[in-house]
Amino acid sequence: MSTSGRTPDSSAPRPNAIVPVLALAGVVVAVMQTLVLPLVPQLPHLLDTSPSNASWAVTATLLAGAVVTPVTGRLGDMYGKRRMLLVSLAVMLAGSLVAALSDSVAPLIVGRALQGAAAGVIPLGISIMRDELPSERLGSASAQMSASLGVGGALGLPAAALIAQNASWHTLFWIAAVLSAVVIVLVALFVPESQARTGGRFDVVGALGLAAVLVCLLVAVSKGADWGWTSTATLGLFASVAVLLPLWGRYELSTAQPLVDLPVTARRKVLFTNLATVTFVFSLFTLQLVIPQLMQLPETTGYGMGRSLVAVGLVMMPQGLVMMAVAGASAVLSRTRGPRVTLMLGTALVAAGFALNIVLITEIWHLVLVSCVVGAGVGLAYGAIPSLIMGAVPPSETAAANSLNTLMRYIGNSLSSAVAGVVFAQLTTLSGGAVLPSEDSFKALMAIACAAALLSLVLAAFLPSRSRLAGAHPAGPASAVSLVTSGATGHTSDARSE
């Protein structure tokens, strides 16, 4: 097994280039998640298909990202993170081209799935930073990379809406293809290949098993509201998860080189960080569901604002900008007080933002204020989460561990969407002859999101304190060498301690 770090005759890493290039890659990947949202109401007409079929243009991206991310993370640890980063970006480019050339729903869904398969770029980028950057720069760089997911979404929505309103919908995907190509070139030029690799055999059975579990779970959660939560299809998928998940877990525990190292995942620090991520992202995504609905409902309801999707994007844009601005503060706080404290402060801010939104919900500036408060909390938390994960695993497992945490974000997103669908369906009002979500439904969702953020705070409180994490902070290139070489299997005593 190779060690991390560079040999004396290797070209020195260029942090001033690596960080912005990887952050740009993260932003572009995040843009792909929101790229099609302005088109969703028009897709049935544009593609001559049903609304149910058209909705798969969104669902396919979610499923592909959730299924592929753990695989690319493990392959990155085995065969090279930069290599898998370039593969993921190439797949995104291919998906953009397929979607740009499509005139029917099937190729568009295929293209969107390929775009979603690039979701592993962000955890791979964070892992490359751990291998290549000096330890004093790692905290702020990984915080920026982690925040790029929110920044890309916040900036991508208004841009996509503007383009969709003023040009052919194919233009969105041609622009996506150009952005993908630019990022590929920049990564190839400025991002070095890490030497920290585990080698070994890829767990094909484990990958297929996890894919089956995730597809059944996420399709059931995503489509349950449309199909009916007690329908045969929905219950059958949930039953499949109940059967497949224990079988997959048993196999992973019995194989020598599993896709997911379950004992590592069960460590208190990793487990509670991942659980806090699920509940935290649940609350964050709730805001992204509530604001567009609330702003686009007609003013005749008395609480809707009758605004366009472009206006929605502009209102949500400050959230992404605040997230990026706070990333540096997150790194400083994590360095001085520990990432546990940073995560707790971030979750408390998000809970405060949702509590505020229950009261301030009637004016545009109310939503902008809440978005900024929540964005500040997200910026702090997203910066702390990679530090917590990297402090609990050796460098040779960084990509897989970060990818699993990214998977937790997908699960939080899906659960939030499902809960919002139930609340919107149960709390309704009649306006102009149409059944619409009531004002109480928005307040109820805000209260649920606030509770989810508080649950994240409680889970973060169970993480080991800073004093117990001495020697387990994210490693830069030099410390990564000693961590990897201290154990033949790639596991260290420090990493196993929690």
Side-chain angles (χ1 to χ4, degrees):
M1 180 182 61
S2 302
T3 62
S4 69
R6 293 192 169 276
T7 58
D9 59 341
S10 298
S11 60
R14 292 164 284 185
N16 291 334
I18 292 173
V19 175
V21 167
L22 291 176
L24 176 62
V27 169
V28 171
V29 168
V31 166
M32 300 302 163
Q33 308 298 315
T34 58
L35 187 69
V36 79
L37 293 183
L39 294 175
V40 169
Q42 306 172 42
L43 283 179
H45 170 70
L46 293 172
L47 301 174
D48 191 24
T49 188
S50 67
S52 177
N53 287 340
S55 69
W56 281 99
V58 177
T59 306
T61 310
L62 168 72
L63 291 177
V67 169
V68 174
T69 295
V71 173
T72 56
R74 176 62 179 151
L75 290 173
D77 282 333
M78 292 175 64
Y79 302 119
K81 303 177 184 73
R82 176 180 179 270
R83 179 178 299 174
M84 290 311 303
L85 183 67
L86 288 170
V87 169
S88 298
L89 292 171
V91 170
M92 182 171 70
L93 172 59
S96 301
L97 291 173
V98 169
L101 295 169
S102 63
D103 285 311
S104 61
V105 68
L108 179 63
I109 291 173
V110 171
R112 290 290 294 157
L114 291 172
Q115 285 183 320
V121 163
I122 291 176
L124 285 168
I126 293 172
S127 304
I128 290 172
M129 288 175 177
R130 181 185 191 181
D131 293 341
E132 302 299 334
L133 298 181
S135 56
E136 65 270 15
R137 290 206 57 182
L138 179 58
S140 60
S142 60
Q144 290 175 17
M145 187 71 187
S146 184
S148 67
L149 185 62
V151 173
L155 300 181
L157 182 59
L162 276 172
I163 294 169
Q165 286 185 5
N166 295 285
S168 166
W169 65 272
H170 292 91
T171 305
L172 283 173
F173 296 103
W174 285 117
I175 293 175
V178 171
L179 290 174
S180 302
V182 169
V183 171
I184 289 173
V185 172
L186 291 175
V187 170
L189 289 176
F190 296 108
V191 177
E193 181 60 89
S194 167
Q195 301 304 307
R197 301 183 190 179
T198 60
R201 178 183 59 84
F202 181 72
D203 180 14
V204 176
V205 174
L208 293 174
L210 181 61
V213 170
L214 290 174
V215 168
C216 291
L217 174 64
L218 295 178
V219 170
V221 170
S222 301
K223 296 297 183 181
D226 294 334
W227 296 345
W229 292 106
T230 58
S231 68
T232 301
T234 303
L235 294 178
L237 288 170
F238 280 129
S240 298
V241 173
V243 172
L244 291 173
L245 184 58
L247 291 175
W248 173 79
R250 183 176 179 180
Y251 174 82
E252 291 295 277
L253 290 171
S254 66
T255 189
Q257 296 177 321
L259 175 72
V260 178
D261 192 335
L262 293 180
V264 172
T265 306
R267 293 178 198 155
R268 180 154 64 106
K269 190 176 180 185
V270 178
L271 177 62
F272 278 91
T273 300
N274 283 332
L275 291 176
T277 298
V278 173
T279 53
F280 184 76
V281 172
F282 176 97
S283 62
L284 168 63
F285 196 67
T286 300
L287 188 68
Q288 297 173 347
L289 293 170
V290 166
I291 287 182
Q293 282 259 35
L294 188 61
M295 287 188 64
Q296 292 181 91
L297 284 176
E299 293 181 280
T300 54
T301 60
Y303 51 89
M305 300 179 183
R307 302 304 177 98
S308 68
L309 193 59
V310 174
V312 172
L314 293 175
V315 166
M316 298 185 70
M317 184 185 296
Q319 181 187 51
L321 299 177
V322 170
M323 285 174 61
M324 185 62 78
V326 170
S330 174
V332 172
L333 186 60
S334 293
R335 187 166 59 249
T336 57
R337 301 296 300 275
R340 170 178 172 264
V341 172
T342 308
L343 178 57
M344 292 177 68
L345 179 59
T347 54
L349 267 176
V350 170
F354 283 113
L356 196 64
N357 203 193
I358 296 174
V359 180
L360 301 179
I361 197 173
T362 57
E363 303 288 342
I364 292 291
W365 72 265
H366 293 169
L367 302 183
V368 173
L369 174 63
V370 169
S371 293
C372 289
V373 173
V374 172
V378 173
L380 289 173
Y382 270 11
I385 287 171
S387 295
L388 288 164
I389 293 294
M390 290 188 290
V393 300
S396 57
E397 296 183 8
T398 303
N402 280 321
S403 296
L404 185 63
N405 182 261
T406 299
L407 174 59
M408 298 301 107
R409 299 186 187 193
Y410 276 101
I411 292 174
N413 280 354
S414 299
L415 292 175
S416 177
S417 181
V419 170
V422 171
V423 172
F424 283 144
Q426 295 298 316
L427 300 176
T428 60
T429 187
L430 279 175
S431 178
V435 178
L436 300 173
S438 67
E439 185 176 9
D440 287 341
S441 70
F442 293 101
K443 293 183 177 181
L445 277 175
M446 289 298 177
I448 293 170
C450 180
L454 291 174
L455 178 56
S456 297
L457 176 61
V458 172
L459 291 168
F462 281 96
L463 289 166
S465 64
R466 180 183 174 88
S467 62
R468 297 188 59 192
L469 297 178
H473 295 295
S479 55
V481 173
S482 62
L483 280 171
V484 178
T485 56
S486 64
T489 62
H491 301 296
T492 70
S493 57
D494 280 344
R496 288 283 189 190
S497 62
E498 283 294 344

